[in-house]
Each structure stands twice: as structure tokens, then as C-alpha cells.
Amino acid sequence: MTNELEYNSERSHLIIPEYGRHIQKMVEHAVEIADDTERNRVAKAIISVMGNMNPHLRDVPDFQHKLWDQLFIISDFKLDVDSPFPKPSREMLEERPDRMDYPQNFPKYRFYGNNIKRMIDVANKWEDGPEKEGLIFTIANHMKKSYLSWNKDTVDDKVIFDHLRELSGGRIDVKHTEEDLSDSSDLLRGNKKYAPKKPVKKTHRARSRKRY
């Protein structure tokens, strides 16, 4: 009786744990079947059992594709059967995805948002002139408004101009300009204008007066 016990250290590695040990043993058995017809029949039976674990998805084409891919993965890519979908390879599974660029190059100024950075990139491409100058100061005012939304206080225009220069890679430098940005109080007033209003609670006196 003791000799029939199966220890974890003696078992094969469980490749996809969600399907359990029994499915993996069925796949390992299918790999060892010599007859092509019988091996294909068993493979389809295993797919049916795997699909029954998610009955609401088993007839969806994309899910069927996933099941067949998982069947080959569980077999350690050793199963030789006819699949209705292209067979995956070990190299395909181990291939790393392309690295995605971080959307914000200056995360320490994240309160400005990605749209401000995109506007600055556009301004960098414009030729010098009144239109570019107007765009730059429009961006600067948006930056000041965003800064005040985050800081809820006041900010010197020089700080905004320094941030603008940094975010533009040094290509936009207006720190010596004589033109001022919008007043902080005006920008703060604009922010409050679009803030959601809090519901006014009726006092006990008001409710009593309404009753009479």
C-alpha cells in the first residue's frame, strides 16, 4: 500500500495549474499514443473536457484557439496532432513583447498632464512668429492653471517659464519676456467655476417654517 503513494517530488511539473493534475496526465498519455488517428481522437476529447471547465466560452472561436494553444503548452510542445489553428512554438511563447514608451517624459511635472506636453511638442515644430508666440503663452497660461489646481495657492510666472523651458528641451525660453501671464486669482476663479457645487442642506428652522 505504501509503495503506491505518489510524492510531489516524483510528479512531473504542473505546467498550467488551473487545469489540474488529471488533465496533464491525459495530455501526457496522448503524447505516448503511437496511432495518429487515436492520438487525434484523444486530443479532441481532452479539448472537450477543458472546454467544459468554461461551458459559456467553449464554442467561441477565440476561446477554442486558446484551448488548443494550452493543450500544446501542457504537452511541452511534444503533442503531434492535427489542430484547427496554427500550432504555437516554444520560441513564440518565450518571445518578449516590445518595450512600451513611458507616456510622460517628465513624471515630476505630472500635474501638467500629457496634453500640455503634446502642445509643447507641437509648438517646438512651428516657425518663429506671432502665431507661435501666441501658442506659447496660451500653453503657459494652461500650465499655470494646472499648477494652481494642484497647488491651490499662487505661483510666480518665472516658475512656469522655467518648467516650459525644461519640458520643451530648452527650445522655448521666454523668461526674459515683458508679458505677464493671467493673474492667479482669475485662474483660480475659473477653476472654481467648473467645480461641482455641494448640495445645500436645509436647517431645522427652514423645514419648520415650510411646514406652516
PDB file of all heavy atoms in Angstrom, residues 137-149 152-155 157 160 180-194:
ATOM      1  N   PHE A 137       2.231  81.338 -25.162  1.00  0.00           N
ATOM      2  CA  PHE A 137       1.648  81.956 -23.982  1.00  0.00           C
ATOM      3  C   PHE A 137       0.301  81.325 -23.613  1.00  0.00           C
ATOM      4  O   PHE A 137      -0.084  81.312 -22.445  1.00  0.00           O
ATOM      5  CB  PHE A 137       1.516  83.472 -24.180  1.00  0.00           C
ATOM      6  CG  PHE A 137       2.808  84.191 -23.917  1.00  0.00           C
ATOM      7  CD1 PHE A 137       3.694  84.471 -24.943  1.00  0.00           C
ATOM      8  CD2 PHE A 137       3.148  84.551 -22.619  1.00  0.00           C
ATOM      9  CE1 PHE A 137       4.901  85.114 -24.696  1.00  0.00           C
ATOM     10  CE2 PHE A 137       4.361  85.201 -22.358  1.00  0.00           C
ATOM     11  CZ  PHE A 137       5.239  85.478 -23.401  1.00  0.00           C
ATOM     12  N   THR A 138      -0.400  80.763 -24.611  1.00  0.00           N
ATOM     13  CA  THR A 138      -1.612  80.004 -24.305  1.00  0.00           C
ATOM     14  C   THR A 138      -1.248  78.747 -23.512  1.00  0.00           C
ATOM     15  O   THR A 138      -1.910  78.406 -22.510  1.00  0.00           O
ATOM     16  CB  THR A 138      -2.336  79.600 -25.605  1.00  0.00           C
ATOM     17  OG1 THR A 138      -2.724  80.780 -26.300  1.00  0.00           O
ATOM     18  CG2 THR A 138      -3.570  78.758 -25.297  1.00  0.00           C
ATOM     19  N   ILE A 139      -0.184  78.088 -23.935  1.00  0.00           N
ATOM     20  CA  ILE A 139       0.289  76.891 -23.221  1.00  0.00           C
ATOM     21  C   ILE A 139       0.728  77.262 -21.809  1.00  0.00           C
ATOM     22  O   ILE A 139       0.405  76.580 -20.831  1.00  0.00           O
ATOM     23  CB  ILE A 139       1.452  76.225 -23.988  1.00  0.00           C
ATOM     24  CG1 ILE A 139       0.958  75.668 -25.331  1.00  0.00           C
ATOM     25  CG2 ILE A 139       2.089  75.119 -23.153  1.00  0.00           C
ATOM     26  CD1 ILE A 139       2.076  75.184 -26.247  1.00  0.00           C
ATOM     27  N   ALA A 140       1.484  78.378 -21.699  1.00  0.00           N
ATOM     28  CA  ALA A 140       1.979  78.808 -20.388  1.00  0.00           C
ATOM     29  C   ALA A 140       0.830  79.095 -19.430  1.00  0.00           C
ATOM     30  O   ALA A 140       0.893  78.759 -18.240  1.00  0.00           O
ATOM     31  CB  ALA A 140       2.879  80.030 -20.554  1.00  0.00           C
ATOM     32  N   ASN A 141      -0.235  79.726 -19.937  1.00  0.00           N
ATOM     33  CA  ASN A 141      -1.389  80.006 -19.085  1.00  0.00           C
ATOM     34  C   ASN A 141      -2.102  78.721 -18.654  1.00  0.00           C
ATOM     35  O   ASN A 141      -2.576  78.606 -17.522  1.00  0.00           O
ATOM     36  CB  ASN A 141      -2.373  80.933 -19.801  1.00  0.00           C
ATOM     37  CG  ASN A 141      -2.011  82.396 -19.648  1.00  0.00           C
ATOM     38  OD1 ASN A 141      -1.773  82.874 -18.540  1.00  0.00           O
ATOM     39  ND2 ASN A 141      -1.956  83.127 -20.764  1.00  0.00           N
ATOM     40  N   HIS A 142      -2.169  77.738 -19.570  1.00  0.00           N
ATOM     41  CA  HIS A 142      -2.741  76.441 -19.211  1.00  0.00           C
ATOM     42  C   HIS A 142      -1.879  75.766 -18.146  1.00  0.00           C
ATOM     43  O   HIS A 142      -2.410  75.133 -17.212  1.00  0.00           O
ATOM     44  CB  HIS A 142      -2.841  75.542 -20.446  1.00  0.00           C
ATOM     45  CG  HIS A 142      -4.085  75.757 -21.260  1.00  0.00           C
ATOM     46  ND1 HIS A 142      -5.343  75.469 -20.784  1.00  0.00           N
ATOM     47  CD2 HIS A 142      -4.259  76.231 -22.513  1.00  0.00           C
ATOM     48  CE1 HIS A 142      -6.248  75.748 -21.715  1.00  0.00           C
ATOM     49  NE2 HIS A 142      -5.607  76.221 -22.773  1.00  0.00           N
ATOM     50  N   MET A 143      -0.563  75.882 -18.282  1.00  0.00           N
ATOM     51  CA  MET A 143       0.344  75.309 -17.295  1.00  0.00           C
ATOM     52  C   MET A 143       0.139  75.970 -15.937  1.00  0.00           C
ATOM     53  O   MET A 143       0.122  75.298 -14.900  1.00  0.00           O
ATOM     54  CB  MET A 143       1.795  75.475 -17.757  1.00  0.00           C
ATOM     55  CG  MET A 143       2.166  74.626 -18.947  1.00  0.00           C
ATOM     56  SD  MET A 143       3.833  74.993 -19.593  1.00  0.00           S
ATOM     57  CE  MET A 143       4.851  74.470 -18.203  1.00  0.00           C
ATOM     58  N   LYS A 144      -0.014  77.277 -15.939  1.00  0.00           N
ATOM     59  CA  LYS A 144      -0.213  77.999 -14.687  1.00  0.00           C
ATOM     60  C   LYS A 144      -1.523  77.578 -14.027  1.00  0.00           C
ATOM     61  O   LYS A 144      -1.593  77.372 -12.807  1.00  0.00           O
ATOM     62  CB  LYS A 144      -0.201  79.511 -14.943  1.00  0.00           C
ATOM     63  CG  LYS A 144      -0.234  80.351 -13.673  1.00  0.00           C
ATOM     64  CD  LYS A 144      -0.030  81.828 -13.986  1.00  0.00           C
ATOM     65  CE  LYS A 144      -0.004  82.672 -12.707  1.00  0.00           C
ATOM     66  NZ  LYS A 144       0.242  84.110 -12.991  1.00  0.00           N
ATOM     67  N   LYS A 145      -2.561  77.416 -14.840  1.00  0.00           N
ATOM     68  CA  LYS A 145      -3.858  76.987 -14.312  1.00  0.00           C
ATOM     69  C   LYS A 145      -3.756  75.578 -13.726  1.00  0.00           C
ATOM     70  O   LYS A 145      -4.304  75.297 -12.648  1.00  0.00           O
ATOM     71  CB  LYS A 145      -4.903  77.030 -15.423  1.00  0.00           C
ATOM     72  CG  LYS A 145      -6.318  76.731 -14.961  1.00  0.00           C
ATOM     73  CD  LYS A 145      -7.302  76.940 -16.098  1.00  0.00           C
ATOM     74  CE  LYS A 145      -8.731  76.694 -15.647  1.00  0.00           C
ATOM     75  NZ  LYS A 145      -9.701  76.905 -16.748  1.00  0.00           N
ATOM     76  N   SER A 146      -3.052  74.679 -14.428  1.00  0.00           N
ATOM     77  CA  SER A 146      -2.870  73.306 -13.936  1.00  0.00           C
ATOM     78  C   SER A 146      -2.062  73.307 -12.644  1.00  0.00           C
ATOM     79  O   SER A 146      -2.359  72.547 -11.713  1.00  0.00           O
ATOM     80  CB  SER A 146      -2.167  72.447 -14.993  1.00  0.00           C
ATOM     81  OG  SER A 146      -2.936  72.347 -16.166  1.00  0.00           O
ATOM     82  N   TYR A 147      -1.040  74.146 -12.601  1.00  0.00           N
ATOM     83  CA  TYR A 147      -0.205  74.243 -11.408  1.00  0.00           C
ATOM     84  C   TYR A 147      -1.042  74.705 -10.216  1.00  0.00           C
ATOM     85  O   TYR A 147      -0.927  74.167  -9.115  1.00  0.00           O
ATOM     86  CB  TYR A 147       0.952  75.211 -11.661  1.00  0.00           C
ATOM     87  CG  TYR A 147       1.995  75.248 -10.553  1.00  0.00           C
ATOM     88  CD1 TYR A 147       3.185  74.546 -10.681  1.00  0.00           C
ATOM     89  CD2 TYR A 147       1.779  75.973  -9.392  1.00  0.00           C
ATOM     90  CE1 TYR A 147       4.135  74.567  -9.674  1.00  0.00           C
ATOM     91  CE2 TYR A 147       2.722  76.009  -8.375  1.00  0.00           C
ATOM     92  CZ  TYR A 147       3.904  75.307  -8.518  1.00  0.00           C
ATOM     93  OH  TYR A 147       4.843  75.335  -7.518  1.00  0.00           O
ATOM     94  N   LEU A 148      -1.890  75.708 -10.425  1.00  0.00           N
ATOM     95  CA  LEU A 148      -2.717  76.235  -9.346  1.00  0.00           C
ATOM     96  C   LEU A 148      -3.770  75.217  -8.904  1.00  0.00           C
ATOM     97  O   LEU A 148      -4.134  75.166  -7.729  1.00  0.00           O
ATOM     98  CB  LEU A 148      -3.392  77.536  -9.794  1.00  0.00           C
ATOM     99  CG  LEU A 148      -2.452  78.736  -9.988  1.00  0.00           C
ATOM    100  CD1 LEU A 148      -3.184  79.880 -10.678  1.00  0.00           C
ATOM    101  CD2 LEU A 148      -1.871  79.198  -8.658  1.00  0.00           C
ATOM    102  N   SER A 149      -4.263  74.402  -9.832  1.00  0.00           N
ATOM    103  CA  SER A 149      -5.222  73.356  -9.469  1.00  0.00           C
ATOM    104  C   SER A 149      -4.572  72.344  -8.541  1.00  0.00           C
ATOM    105  O   SER A 149      -5.219  71.763  -7.668  1.00  0.00           O
ATOM    106  CB  SER A 149      -5.738  72.643 -10.728  1.00  0.00           C
ATOM    107  OG  SER A 149      -6.445  73.549 -11.552  1.00  0.00           O
ATOM    108  N   LYS A 152      -3.132  75.015  -5.355  1.00  0.00           N
ATOM    109  CA  LYS A 152      -4.190  75.763  -4.675  1.00  0.00           C
ATOM    110  C   LYS A 152      -3.662  76.995  -3.948  1.00  0.00           C
ATOM    111  O   LYS A 152      -4.127  77.348  -2.880  1.00  0.00           O
ATOM    112  CB  LYS A 152      -4.924  74.846  -3.670  1.00  0.00           C
ATOM    113  CG  LYS A 152      -5.645  73.676  -4.285  1.00  0.00           C
ATOM    114  CD  LYS A 152      -6.806  74.102  -5.154  1.00  0.00           C
ATOM    115  CE  LYS A 152      -7.558  72.895  -5.697  1.00  0.00           C
ATOM    116  NZ  LYS A 152      -8.640  73.263  -6.605  1.00  0.00           N
ATOM    117  N   ASP A 153      -2.654  77.638  -4.520  1.00  0.00           N
ATOM    118  CA  ASP A 153      -2.082  78.822  -3.856  1.00  0.00           C
ATOM    119  C   ASP A 153      -1.770  79.862  -4.913  1.00  0.00           C
ATOM    120  O   ASP A 153      -2.647  80.363  -5.588  1.00  0.00           O
ATOM    121  CB  ASP A 153      -0.846  78.396  -3.061  1.00  0.00           C
ATOM    122  CG  ASP A 153      -0.391  79.460  -2.079  1.00  0.00           C
ATOM    123  OD1 ASP A 153      -1.025  80.516  -2.039  1.00  0.00           O
ATOM    124  OD2 ASP A 153       0.591  79.230  -1.355  1.00  0.00           O
ATOM    125  N   THR A 154      -0.531  80.178  -5.081  1.00  0.00           N
ATOM    126  CA  THR A 154      -0.101  81.111  -6.113  1.00  0.00           C
ATOM    127  C   THR A 154       1.223  80.638  -6.664  1.00  0.00           C
ATOM    128  O   THR A 154       1.897  79.798  -6.047  1.00  0.00           O
ATOM    129  CB  THR A 154       0.030  82.541  -5.538  1.00  0.00           C
ATOM    130  OG1 THR A 154       0.327  83.451  -6.605  1.00  0.00           O
ATOM    131  CG2 THR A 154       1.142  82.606  -4.499  1.00  0.00           C
ATOM    132  N   VAL A 155       1.603  81.158  -7.803  1.00  0.00           N
ATOM    133  CA  VAL A 155       2.855  80.737  -8.421  1.00  0.00           C
ATOM    134  C   VAL A 155       3.423  81.900  -9.221  1.00  0.00           C
ATOM    135  O   VAL A 155       2.681  82.647  -9.875  1.00  0.00           O
ATOM    136  CB  VAL A 155       2.637  79.496  -9.333  1.00  0.00           C
ATOM    137  CG1 VAL A 155       1.623  79.781 -10.427  1.00  0.00           C
ATOM    138  CG2 VAL A 155       3.954  79.039  -9.943  1.00  0.00           C
ATOM    139  N   ASP A 157       5.318  83.645 -12.273  1.00  0.00           N
ATOM    140  CA  ASP A 157       5.395  83.328 -13.705  1.00  0.00           C
ATOM    141  C   ASP A 157       6.747  82.724 -14.062  1.00  0.00           C
ATOM    142  O   ASP A 157       6.845  81.897 -14.971  1.00  0.00           O
ATOM    143  CB  ASP A 157       5.150  84.588 -14.542  1.00  0.00           C
ATOM    144  CG  ASP A 157       3.693  85.031 -14.496  1.00  0.00           C
ATOM    145  OD1 ASP A 157       2.870  84.305 -13.909  1.00  0.00           O
ATOM    146  OD2 ASP A 157       3.388  86.106 -15.052  1.00  0.00           O
ATOM    147  N   ILE A 160       6.738  78.991 -13.992  1.00  0.00           N
ATOM    148  CA  ILE A 160       6.086  78.413 -15.168  1.00  0.00           C
ATOM    149  C   ILE A 160       7.010  78.481 -16.374  1.00  0.00           C
ATOM    150  O   ILE A 160       7.133  77.505 -17.137  1.00  0.00           O
ATOM    151  CB  ILE A 160       4.758  79.144 -15.471  1.00  0.00           C
ATOM    152  CG1 ILE A 160       3.802  79.042 -14.275  1.00  0.00           C
ATOM    153  CG2 ILE A 160       4.115  78.584 -16.728  1.00  0.00           C
ATOM    154  CD1 ILE A 160       3.401  77.640 -13.897  1.00  0.00           C
ATOM    155  N   ASP A 180       3.090  89.377 -19.060  1.00  0.00           N
ATOM    156  CA  ASP A 180       2.699  88.606 -17.890  1.00  0.00           C
ATOM    157  C   ASP A 180       1.632  87.578 -18.258  1.00  0.00           C
ATOM    158  O   ASP A 180       0.848  87.769 -19.193  1.00  0.00           O
ATOM    159  CB  ASP A 180       2.140  89.528 -16.795  1.00  0.00           C
ATOM    160  CG  ASP A 180       3.198  90.490 -16.266  1.00  0.00           C
ATOM    161  OD1 ASP A 180       4.376  90.086 -16.226  1.00  0.00           O
ATOM    162  OD2 ASP A 180       2.835  91.632 -15.905  1.00  0.00           O
ATOM    163  N   LEU A 181       1.602  86.503 -17.486  1.00  0.00           N
ATOM    164  CA  LEU A 181       0.553  85.507 -17.649  1.00  0.00           C
ATOM    165  C   LEU A 181      -0.700  85.967 -16.903  1.00  0.00           C
ATOM    166  O   LEU A 181      -0.677  86.967 -16.186  1.00  0.00           O
ATOM    167  CB  LEU A 181       1.026  84.154 -17.099  1.00  0.00           C
ATOM    168  CG  LEU A 181       2.239  83.533 -17.797  1.00  0.00           C
ATOM    169  CD1 LEU A 181       2.623  82.217 -17.124  1.00  0.00           C
ATOM    170  CD2 LEU A 181       1.981  83.312 -19.282  1.00  0.00           C
ATOM    171  N   SER A 182      -1.775  85.251 -17.083  1.00  0.00           N
ATOM    172  CA  SER A 182      -3.027  85.602 -16.408  1.00  0.00           C
ATOM    173  C   SER A 182      -2.822  85.613 -14.904  1.00  0.00           C
ATOM    174  O   SER A 182      -2.005  84.855 -14.355  1.00  0.00           O
ATOM    175  CB  SER A 182      -4.128  84.606 -16.773  1.00  0.00           C
ATOM    176  OG  SER A 182      -4.394  84.661 -18.170  1.00  0.00           O
ATOM    177  N   ASP A 183      -3.580  86.473 -14.230  1.00  0.00           N
ATOM    178  CA  ASP A 183      -3.460  86.587 -12.774  1.00  0.00           C
ATOM    179  C   ASP A 183      -3.926  85.294 -12.098  1.00  0.00           C
ATOM    180  O   ASP A 183      -4.898  84.673 -12.523  1.00  0.00           O
ATOM    181  CB  ASP A 183      -4.283  87.768 -12.282  1.00  0.00           C
ATOM    182  CG  ASP A 183      -4.024  88.060 -10.817  1.00  0.00           C
ATOM    183  OD1 ASP A 183      -2.955  88.635 -10.507  1.00  0.00           O
ATOM    184  OD2 ASP A 183      -4.884  87.695  -9.998  1.00  0.00           O
ATOM    185  N   SER A 184      -3.216  84.903 -11.038  1.00  0.00           N
ATOM    186  CA  SER A 184      -3.537  83.662 -10.326  1.00  0.00           C
ATOM    187  C   SER A 184      -4.972  83.650  -9.828  1.00  0.00           C
ATOM    188  O   SER A 184      -5.669  82.627  -9.909  1.00  0.00           O
ATOM    189  CB  SER A 184      -2.579  83.462  -9.144  1.00  0.00           C
ATOM    190  OG  SER A 184      -1.255  83.276  -9.603  1.00  0.00           O
ATOM    191  N   SER A 185      -5.442  84.791  -9.308  1.00  0.00           N
ATOM    192  CA  SER A 185      -6.803  84.843  -8.768  1.00  0.00           C
ATOM    193  C   SER A 185      -7.841  84.599  -9.862  1.00  0.00           C
ATOM    194  O   SER A 185      -8.865  83.953  -9.630  1.00  0.00           O
ATOM    195  CB  SER A 185      -7.048  86.193  -8.092  1.00  0.00           C
ATOM    196  OG  SER A 185      -6.873  87.255  -9.027  1.00  0.00           O
ATOM    197  N   ASP A 186      -7.583  85.110 -11.075  1.00  0.00           N
ATOM    198  CA  ASP A 186      -8.513  84.888 -12.185  1.00  0.00           C
ATOM    199  C   ASP A 186      -8.553  83.412 -12.572  1.00  0.00           C
ATOM    200  O   ASP A 186      -9.623  82.856 -12.853  1.00  0.00           O
ATOM    201  CB  ASP A 186      -8.112  85.736 -13.397  1.00  0.00           C
ATOM    202  CG  ASP A 186      -8.301  87.226 -13.143  1.00  0.00           C
ATOM    203  OD1 ASP A 186      -9.136  87.571 -12.285  1.00  0.00           O
ATOM    204  OD2 ASP A 186      -7.606  88.030 -13.803  1.00  0.00           O
ATOM    205  N   LEU A 187      -7.364  82.791 -12.599  1.00  0.00           N
ATOM    206  CA  LEU A 187      -7.304  81.373 -12.960  1.00  0.00           C
ATOM    207  C   LEU A 187      -7.958  80.508 -11.895  1.00  0.00           C
ATOM    208  O   LEU A 187      -8.652  79.538 -12.211  1.00  0.00           O
ATOM    209  CB  LEU A 187      -5.840  80.951 -13.164  1.00  0.00           C
ATOM    210  CG  LEU A 187      -5.140  81.572 -14.381  1.00  0.00           C
ATOM    211  CD1 LEU A 187      -3.657  81.230 -14.377  1.00  0.00           C
ATOM    212  CD2 LEU A 187      -5.778  81.094 -15.677  1.00  0.00           C
ATOM    213  N   LEU A 188      -7.743  80.856 -10.626  1.00  0.00           N
ATOM    214  CA  LEU A 188      -8.372  80.103  -9.544  1.00  0.00           C
ATOM    215  C   LEU A 188      -9.885  80.258  -9.585  1.00  0.00           C
ATOM    216  O   LEU A 188     -10.632  79.323  -9.317  1.00  0.00           O
ATOM    217  CB  LEU A 188      -7.828  80.572  -8.191  1.00  0.00           C
ATOM    218  CG  LEU A 188      -6.412  80.091  -7.835  1.00  0.00           C
ATOM    219  CD1 LEU A 188      -5.914  80.793  -6.586  1.00  0.00           C
ATOM    220  CD2 LEU A 188      -6.400  78.583  -7.644  1.00  0.00           C
ATOM    221  N   ARG A 189     -10.349  81.467  -9.938  1.00  0.00           N
ATOM    222  CA  ARG A 189     -11.775  81.709 -10.045  1.00  0.00           C
ATOM    223  C   ARG A 189     -12.372  80.858 -11.165  1.00  0.00           C
ATOM    224  O   ARG A 189     -13.475  80.334 -11.064  1.00  0.00           O
ATOM    225  CB  ARG A 189     -12.043  83.195 -10.316  1.00  0.00           C
ATOM    226  CG  ARG A 189     -13.507  83.599 -10.142  1.00  0.00           C
ATOM    227  CD  ARG A 189     -13.716  85.077 -10.384  1.00  0.00           C
ATOM    228  NE  ARG A 189     -12.901  85.893  -9.492  1.00  0.00           N
ATOM    229  CZ  ARG A 189     -11.909  86.700  -9.886  1.00  0.00           C
ATOM    230  NH1 ARG A 189     -11.613  86.802 -11.175  1.00  0.00           N
ATOM    231  NH2 ARG A 189     -11.232  87.407  -9.010  1.00  0.00           N
ATOM    232  N   GLY A 190     -11.606  80.710 -12.243  1.00  0.00           N
ATOM    233  CA  GLY A 190     -12.060  79.869 -13.351  1.00  0.00           C
ATOM    234  C   GLY A 190     -12.146  78.419 -12.952  1.00  0.00           C
ATOM    235  O   GLY A 190     -13.054  77.689 -13.364  1.00  0.00           O
ATOM    236  N   ASN A 191     -11.205  77.961 -12.116  1.00  0.00           N
ATOM    237  CA  ASN A 191     -11.248  76.580 -11.648  1.00  0.00           C
ATOM    238  C   ASN A 191     -12.463  76.330 -10.767  1.00  0.00           C
ATOM    239  O   ASN A 191     -13.114  75.297 -10.846  1.00  0.00           O
ATOM    240  CB  ASN A 191      -9.978  76.251 -10.850  1.00  0.00           C
ATOM    241  CG  ASN A 191      -8.766  76.109 -11.760  1.00  0.00           C
ATOM    242  OD1 ASN A 191      -8.913  75.923 -12.950  1.00  0.00           O
ATOM    243  ND2 ASN A 191      -7.572  76.204 -11.192  1.00  0.00           N
ATOM    244  N   LYS A 192     -12.788  77.314  -9.910  1.00  0.00           N
ATOM    245  CA  LYS A 192     -13.936  77.162  -9.024  1.00  0.00           C
ATOM    246  C   LYS A 192     -15.247  77.167  -9.806  1.00  0.00           C
ATOM    247  O   LYS A 192     -16.228  76.561  -9.413  1.00  0.00           O
ATOM    248  CB  LYS A 192     -13.943  78.300  -7.994  1.00  0.00           C
ATOM    249  CG  LYS A 192     -12.807  78.206  -6.980  1.00  0.00           C
ATOM    250  CD  LYS A 192     -12.832  79.385  -6.021  1.00  0.00           C
ATOM    251  CE  LYS A 192     -11.666  79.317  -5.025  1.00  0.00           C
ATOM    252  NZ  LYS A 192     -11.647  80.498  -4.126  1.00  0.00           N
ATOM    253  N   LYS A 193     -15.238  77.877 -10.943  1.00  0.00           N
ATOM    254  CA  LYS A 193     -16.447  77.986 -11.758  1.00  0.00           C
ATOM    255  C   LYS A 193     -16.939  76.622 -12.210  1.00  0.00           C
ATOM    256  O   LYS A 193     -18.134  76.365 -12.311  1.00  0.00           O
ATOM    257  CB  LYS A 193     -16.161  78.883 -12.969  1.00  0.00           C
ATOM    258  CG  LYS A 193     -17.351  79.064 -13.902  1.00  0.00           C
ATOM    259  CD  LYS A 193     -16.973  79.963 -15.061  1.00  0.00           C
ATOM    260  CE  LYS A 193     -18.129  80.134 -16.045  1.00  0.00           C
ATOM    261  NZ  LYS A 193     -17.755  80.984 -17.186  1.00  0.00           N
ATOM    262  N   TYR A 194     -15.977  75.715 -12.504  1.00  0.00           N
ATOM    263  CA  TYR A 194     -16.344  74.398 -13.022  1.00  0.00           C
ATOM    264  C   TYR A 194     -16.318  73.327 -11.939  1.00  0.00           C
ATOM    265  O   TYR A 194     -16.483  72.150 -12.228  1.00  0.00           O
ATOM    266  CB  TYR A 194     -15.393  74.006 -14.163  1.00  0.00           C
ATOM    267  CG  TYR A 194     -15.510  74.942 -15.340  1.00  0.00           C
ATOM    268  CD1 TYR A 194     -14.565  75.946 -15.559  1.00  0.00           C
ATOM    269  CD2 TYR A 194     -16.585  74.842 -16.215  1.00  0.00           C
ATOM    270  CE1 TYR A 194     -14.681  76.812 -16.638  1.00  0.00           C
ATOM    271  CE2 TYR A 194     -16.705  75.707 -17.294  1.00  0.00           C
ATOM    272  CZ  TYR A 194     -15.750  76.680 -17.491  1.00  0.00           C
ATOM    273  OH  TYR A 194     -15.865  77.536 -18.561  1.00  0.00           O
TER     274      TYR A 194
END
